[in-house]
Amino acid sequence: MMSLKPRNVDFQETWATLKETVAGVVGLRAVERAVWNTRFSDVYALCVAHPEPLADKLYDETRKFLEEHVDGLLQRVKGNCQLESSDYNDGLLNRYVSAWREYSQGVGYLNSLYSYLNLQHVKRQKVSDAEIIYGSSATVSCPEHDSRQLEVGELGLVTWERVLVQPLSGALSSRIVSALEAARDSCNTSHESHDVLRAAIHSTVHVQSFRVRAPLSLYERLVLEPFLAAAGAQHSRRAARLLQDGDVSHFLQHALAGLERELNLARRFLHTTSLEPVRGCYERACVQAHLPALHADVERLLREASDGDSEARRLDLRRMYALLRPLGANALRPLVEAAHQQVVKDGMALLDEEHPKDEAHSHFVSAMLSLHSKYNALFADVFQGAQPFVGALDKACSAVVNRRSPGESCARAPELVSRYCDALLRRRAAEDADDRLAAAIVVFKYVDDKDVFQKHYARALARRLIHQLSASMEQEEAMINRLKAACGYEFTNKLHRMFTDVAVSADLNAKFQQHLRDNDLSPGTGFFIQVLQAGAWPLGGAMAPLAPPAQLERPARLFEAFYRSSFSGRRLAWLHHLCTGELRARHASRLYHLSATTPQCALLLMFESVDVVSAREARDALQLSGENWTRHLRPLLEAGLLIAKSNDEDGDLELNLNFTCKRTRIRLTCAAAPANQGGTTGSSSSTTEPTHCDDDRKMYLQAALVRIMKQRKVLRHTELIQEVVSQARGSFAPSVAMIKKCIEALIDKQYLERAPGTLDTYSYLA
Amino acid sequence: MKVTIKSWTGVATWRWIANDDNCGICRMPFDSCCPDCKLPGDECPLVWGACSHCFHIHCIVKWLHSQPQQQCPMCRQDWKFNNK
């Protein structure tokens, strides 16, 4: 057993035996366990030698030995090769790699043999990580000229780099690059040569792997940079050839395949960090350089891809997107713009297709839906639903939805969408109505003039609620909730109030019936009432007072009295044109059930006793005038119940004694409702609607302006406009001219003033 | 022709009975609500004073709270709610 005590050691003698073993270890020759153990103690003994430790000397001798050894390897690797040639098959790489494998392994063992030296002697001299990262005078200098000692394993690697790699660097680098080029072009080279190539490349990483600073610098200098330079030139040539050879599809296909192959090559041979530089190099040389050529065909590709199911074009677009996406937004922009154009063009064409006039609303909505779903699917398929394309689709859809035909003062979209909803909500037993309403919301979201839509919708809803035309109240409520989700509480609060009124009315009716029973009163006929809150319903002005027929007088008076007693401070106004009477009429020996407005009931009751009534008399009796009279009379004439003897307004009205009708139920009310239906009246309403909305919009804008200015106190013109537009966007798209007018109005009202001394700044006057 | 009315569905609107269009305190129309409410209707009723002036209930209550004397802001008579 050896002693651990420091003692006198003869350096020359010990080193001579040690050197022999070292040579054996580094050369990977067999070393006996006992010898190894003894040499281990020798290293120890030298390091702790008395009177003076011999560690430094041992270190220097070892370095000298390693230098000589590596120099020997260098000669072996060189052989008789032409260093200037770049023929990677001349055996230089093979010899290099086998020498490297032997040496790197041997140095590893040597490191363990010297572990005491490493541990005790070298560690103390090593620089800490912190010093390296934050810099100190010692670390700034280049490691090669650093006189400080390294661990023996590291010393071995440094020696290798300096003595062997340095002189061979040109030769190695050119061989590695040409071998890589060869490996790219043919995948079937034998595995062995690939292994050699990979080992050679990774040796350049390994040699510097212990370095904290720039551990990859040798690899980059020797392998990556020359490779990228060569590859870039190669890619450019190839791309140019591809463009010459065939059309864009050809180019896209091969360019993408080339990229994949390039990445594969990098993955197989290069260091993992090189993937991005390799990809970047390829994209610059192959795609970026040919962007104009690619962009030129974008439009055609999109058009053909959207026509039917052209899988080939879709594949092209998918490839194009895969190539362009990494190049950033600028490279994609023409593609996005072309997508936008394509959707707009297609959408316009769809809307212009022939369709029956009275189906305009369902044509409009279904065309928009099919457009949206078609391109949504296409973009999701070929562009992976990327945000820029979704944005382009949205912009295009809103352009199509809000388009104005020449001669129209505003888009018809709000009216059409609301008519579509109306038709669905009225229809009975349409089991897919729910889904179709949910789909209509998709179109609705693109409508700019949401306030116009709201007006149309509110009118239609009022009609449905009053005449009880809704298919189901749940559906109505669900639709209002959908609108609320899309546009917020403000947008639907009027609609909600209408809903509440209907519920309150039901309650009221129950109470009224109870009241009648309690007081032993009878209204004489079946009676139901809806009491609506003025202002919440878009019903137009109340009608001129009407003398209701005697049969209806009684329930009306009873209810008025009841209402007055239950709610003080409220005044009721009857809307006779909206009331519905259910009549049973025995006429020409047949029984008919008629639904009619109050004035129509009154008119029909007049014919109970006589067959001819003078129009003037009737009109005076009902206290109806002008427009109102014809509005109520016309449905009776159209149904054929009455016959006007002359076109004259005051002519006689005669009961049609030959009246027959297959149905026993006849509805007169609907046609008489004041709101417009069908195409002809629709156009007249769309001219009155905007003026209606204009006033509301001005109020809205002024309120928004005051809100903003109250908060900001002082604001520049452009910022103010931006803020207002963003607030108003939820319900309509305001024009700048209108905003300016509103600002002027507010300045006149002294809410705002132009800040003194500036041209474009406003300030708020408290 | 023999005609009988089987049933009748009446439709009527209601509004507040007021002697003015606007509330004298907040200057908002009586058909709409006071500035603190969101919706007109039962949540924002009107009240009459014994002096025959009428206001949004929220407005007059606020006014009375802020004044040392309980007077009608229009005519300075003592304010009494008119519960007719």
Side-chain angles (χ1 to χ4, degrees):
Chain A
M1 196 59 212
M2 62 170 282
S3 156
L4 294 178
K5 222 174 107 188
R7 57 192 161 103
N8 242 325
V9 187
D10 180 3
F11 182 80
Q12 290 309 331
E13 190 189 324
T14 320
W15 168 243
T17 46
L18 181 59
K19 188 176 175 182
E20 215 170 285
T21 317
V22 167
V25 169
V26 172
L28 290 186
R29 287 192 292 277
V31 175
E32 280 181 41
R33 165 65 66 181
V35 177
W36 169 272
N37 285 347
T38 326
R39 293 302 160 265
F40 198 81
S41 340
D42 283 344
V43 172
Y44 172 77
L46 286 172
C47 286
V48 297
H50 186 75
E52 234 169 51
L54 297 168
D56 288 336
K57 209 163 170 194
L58 172 64
Y59 185 85
D60 287 341
E61 286 300 327
T62 310
R63 186 170 63 197
K64 251 179 247 157
F65 165 77
L66 282 174
E67 277 168 11
E68 280 162 27
H69 178 76
V70 174
D71 197 48
L73 288 178
L74 172 64
Q75 299 314 320
R76 204 176 94 198
V77 169
K78 258 193 202 161
N80 48 2
C81 285
Q82 291 285 316
L83 287 188
E84 294 78 27
S85 98
S86 61
D87 176 12
Y88 59 92
N89 276 329
D90 64 356
L92 184 96
L93 277 182
N94 281 332
R95 287 196 297 279
Y96 169 82
V97 167
S98 74
W100 162 252
R101 279 180 178 150
E102 172 194 311
Y103 180 79
S104 59
Q105 211 181 346
V107 161
Y109 294 140
L110 193 65
N111 199 38
S112 336
L113 185 62
Y114 277 71
S115 56
Y116 186 78
L117 181 89
N118 289 341
L119 217 59
Q120 295 301 316
H121 198 70
V122 179
K123 271 280 150 64
R124 261 177 283 152
Q125 298 204 354
K126 270 208 141 181
V127 196
S128 76
D129 284 356
E131 275 179 289
I132 289 167
I133 291 166
Y134 299 111
S136 74
S137 57
T139 54
V140 177
S141 59
C142 176
E144 267 125 82
H145 306 295
D146 201 348
S147 59
R148 254 163 333 162
Q149 293 176 347
L150 299 161
E151 286 188 20
V152 173
E154 297 168 4
L155 176 72
L157 294 176
V158 169
T159 312
W160 172 268
E161 183 194 333
R162 202 178 63 235
V163 178
L164 191 137
V165 176
Q166 219 69 287
L168 287 179
S169 61
L172 281 173
S173 168
S174 62
R175 280 172 179 73
I176 287 174
V177 168
S178 59
L180 278 172
E181 303 258 294
R184 172 196 298 138
D185 289 337
S186 63
C187 321
N188 53 359
T189 338
S190 63
H191 279 295
E192 202 179 325
S193 74
H194 281 183
D195 283 346
V196 167
L197 179 56
R198 198 174 306 125
I201 290 171
H202 284 280
S203 76
T204 61
V205 178
H206 190 168
V207 158
Q208 294 194 326
S209 58
F210 66 91
R211 282 172 54 164
V212 183
R213 269 185 172 202
L216 290 174
S217 64
L218 180 69
Y219 162 75
E220 276 162 13
R221 187 160 48 82
L222 219 57
V223 179
L224 189 61
E225 282 162 18
F227 169 71
L228 287 182
Q234 164 97 5
H235 297 326
S236 301
R237 277 199 304 278
R238 191 161 160 275
R241 208 170 51 238
L242 279 177
L243 267 184
Q244 272 176 5
D245 284 356
D247 62 354
V248 168
S249 321
H250 175 79
F251 177 82
L252 288 172
Q253 184 187 349
H254 287 91
L256 198 60
L259 175 63
E260 200 39 56
R261 197 174 46 196
E262 199 64 15
L263 290 177
N264 213 5
L265 184 75
R267 248 178 251 131
R268 274 195 301 164
F269 292 107
L270 299 181
H271 191 251
T272 43
T273 54
S274 308
L275 222 55
E276 276 316 300
V278 165
R279 170 192 278 276
C281 163
Y282 185 85
E283 279 159 358
R284 263 193 310 281
C286 191
V287 188
Q288 188 96 54
H290 301 291
L291 274 184
L294 291 178
H295 288 158
D297 274 315
V298 158
E299 213 171 304
R300 181 178 60 82
L301 289 180
L302 269 169
R303 194 177 57 237
E304 289 175 17
S306 65
D307 281 349
D309 39 11
S310 163
E311 194 43 47
R313 292 292 87 80
R314 283 176 175 230
L315 199 59
D316 286 344
L317 283 174
R318 218 172 288 146
R319 285 178 179 141
M320 171 152 342
Y321 178 66
L323 283 177
L324 292 184
R325 191 191 42 178
L327 298 184
N330 273 338
L332 275 180
R333 189 165 304 133
L335 194 53
V336 175
E337 269 162 24
H340 175 87
Q341 292 300 334
Q342 172 62 29
V343 177
V344 171
K345 219 169 62 192
D346 203 1
M348 298 293 184
L350 263 178
L351 287 192
D352 287 338
E353 265 174 23
E354 277 300 306
H355 58 268
K357 183 104 180 131
D358 51 341
E359 289 293 311
H361 53 284
S362 66
H363 168 76
F364 178 82
V365 173
S366 57
M368 280 316 300
L369 283 176
S370 73
L371 179 77
H372 184 263
S373 66
K374 172 178 166 190
Y375 282 97
N376 211 6
L378 179 69
F379 290 171
D381 179 23
V382 301
F383 304 131
Q384 291 151 31
Q387 203 283 324
F389 294 96
V390 175
L393 176 61
D394 284 346
K395 248 167 62 190
C397 281
S398 104
V400 175
V401 167
N402 294 300
R403 114 186 135 141
R404 297 174 187 186
S405 336
E408 277 178 13
S409 60
C410 63
R412 291 195 67 202
E415 187 201 337
L416 292 174
V417 176
S418 96
R419 263 171 63 197
Y420 180 78
C421 297
D422 187 41
L424 280 176
L425 287 166
R426 278 169 183 235
R427 185 176 308 162
R428 282 172 199 284
E431 64 282 349
D432 64 338
D434 247 358
D435 297 337
R436 291 171 64 183
L437 285 169
I441 288 286
V442 174
V443 181
F444 164 72
K445 280 186 183 155
Y446 291 119
V447 172
D448 271 346
D449 300 329
K450 295 202 170 60
D451 53 345
V452 181
F453 171 87
Q454 192 218 31
K455 289 228 154 55
H456 283 290
Y457 190 87
R459 250 203 324 252
L461 176 65
R463 211 154 50 221
R464 289 197 301 273
L465 291 179
I466 290 175
H467 297 304
Q468 283 142 38
L469 299 170
S470 297
S472 93
M473 287 314 248
E474 286 87 45
Q475 226 170 51
E476 290 279 5
E477 191 148 20
M479 190 61 193
I480 291 179
N481 285 335
R482 281 190 204 109
L483 291 173
K484 188 156 106 186
C487 277
Y489 173 76
E490 290 286 320
F491 187 79
T492 52
N493 85 43
K494 265 195 178 176
L495 308 180
H496 269 298
R497 274 160 66 193
M498 289 160 67
F499 236 79
T500 327
D501 273 354
V502 172
V504 170
S505 290
D507 201 32
L508 199 60
N509 273 299
K511 278 194 192 137
F512 180 55
Q513 296 300 340
Q514 187 61 43
H515 166 82
L516 291 179
R517 270 198 298 283
D518 289 352
N519 295 303
D520 245 347
L521 297 167
S522 161
T525 61
F527 181 74
F528 186 84
I529 185 153
Q530 289 183 309
V531 180
L532 316 174
Q533 190 182 327
W537 293 69
L539 297 173
M543 257 183 67
L546 166 89
Q551 290 93 322
L552 297 180
E553 184 95 38
R554 185 174 156 74
R557 296 287 161 262
L558 278 176
F559 184 76
E560 274 174 16
F562 165 74
Y563 195 78
R564 212 172 301 121
S565 67
S566 358
F567 301 93
S568 67
R570 295 184 182 192
R571 188 168 52 219
L572 275 184
W574 295 98
L575 299 174
H576 285 298
H577 59 291
L578 294 173
C579 302
T580 341
E582 296 287 329
L583 306 179
R584 193 168 49 204
R586 183 172 294 280
H587 177 55
S589 78
R590 277 193 69 178
L591 196 62
Y592 294 102
H593 294 274
L594 304 173
S595 309
T597 62
T598 314
Q600 287 167 344
C601 292
L603 192 57
L604 285 172
L605 284 168
M606 286 182 194
F607 286 95
E608 261 200 303
S609 45
V610 287
D611 287 348
V612 180
V613 173
S614 139
R616 175 192 287 277
E617 267 170 42
R619 215 164 58 222
D620 290 347
L622 294 176
Q623 296 168 11
L624 284 174
S625 57
E627 167 90 1
N628 281 331
W629 164 251
T630 39
R631 205 164 70 193
H632 288 109
L633 179 62
R634 192 182 303 128
L636 290 172
L637 297 176
E638 277 168 4
L641 266 172
L642 299 184
I643 298 170
K645 292 299 255 185
S646 66
N647 286 332
D648 183 12
E649 281 230 328
D650 296 338
D652 284 351
L653 295 169
E654 193 184 80
L655 186 65
N656 183 3
L657 294 171
N658 302 318
F659 175 80
T660 52
C661 181
K662 273 187 234 134
R663 290 174 300 169
T664 54
R665 282 208 151 267
I666 301 171
R667 256 196 118 80
L668 300 166
T669 27
C670 251
N676 35 68
Q677 287 214 322
T680 47
T681 44
S683 59
S684 72
S685 86
S686 59
T687 52
T688 57
E689 205 57 51
T691 51
H692 243 280
C693 281
D694 268 1
D695 292 342
D696 287 354
R697 286 180 179 188
K698 276 182 192 147
M699 294 310 290
Y700 185 99
L701 288 176
Q702 290 188 8
L705 283 166
V706 170
R707 268 200 306 274
I708 294 166
M709 290 306 294
K710 194 170 182 176
Q711 189 189 1
R712 302 291 206 87
K713 303 297 180 211
V714 176
L715 204 59
R716 294 167 66 89
H717 179 76
T718 42
E719 295 170 62
L720 182 58
I721 298 263
Q722 263 172 23
E723 287 234 11
V724 172
V725 170
S726 75
Q727 284 205 7
R729 192 173 298 140
S731 56
F732 61 99
S735 72
V736 174
M738 190 188 269
I739 300 178
K740 277 187 183 156
K741 248 186 235 162
C742 290
I743 294 177
E744 290 298 328
L746 287 175
I747 290 175
D748 286 347
K749 289 185 200 164
Q750 303 198 326
Y751 279 93
L752 307 181
E753 65 171 2
R754 291 201 166 78
T758 55
L759 286 173
D760 58 346
T761 309
Y762 302 106
S763 57
Y764 180 71
L765 295 174
Chain B
M1 184 169 72
K2 171 91 183 98
V3 179
T4 40
I5 297 182
K6 266 169 51 194
S7 72
W8 185 60
T9 304
V11 178
T13 57
W14 67 267
R15 58 177 75 236
W16 300 107
I17 303 171
N19 52 6
D20 200 353
D21 288 342
N22 299 327
C23 168
I25 297 175
C26 67
R27 310 299 298 159
M28 295 298 281
F30 282 126
D31 281 343
S32 75
C33 54
C34 77
D36 296 334
C37 288
K38 273 208 166 292
L39 294 178
D42 295 333
E43 283 93 65
C44 187
L46 305 193
V47 283
W48 289 76
C51 56
S52 89
H53 288 115
C54 126
F55 307 98
H56 288 122
I57 191 167
H58 298 138
C59 294
I60 188 67
V61 166
K62 211 153 118 193
W63 165 264
L64 294 176
H65 273 301
S66 68
Q67 296 295 312
Q69 281 122 15
Q70 307 282 290
Q71 290 175 338
C72 168
M74 304 291 268
C75 60
R76 302 214 171 268
Q77 296 183 45
D78 282 348
W79 177 265
K80 284 196 191 66
F81 285 105
N82 182 0
N83 302 315
K84 61 156 180 181

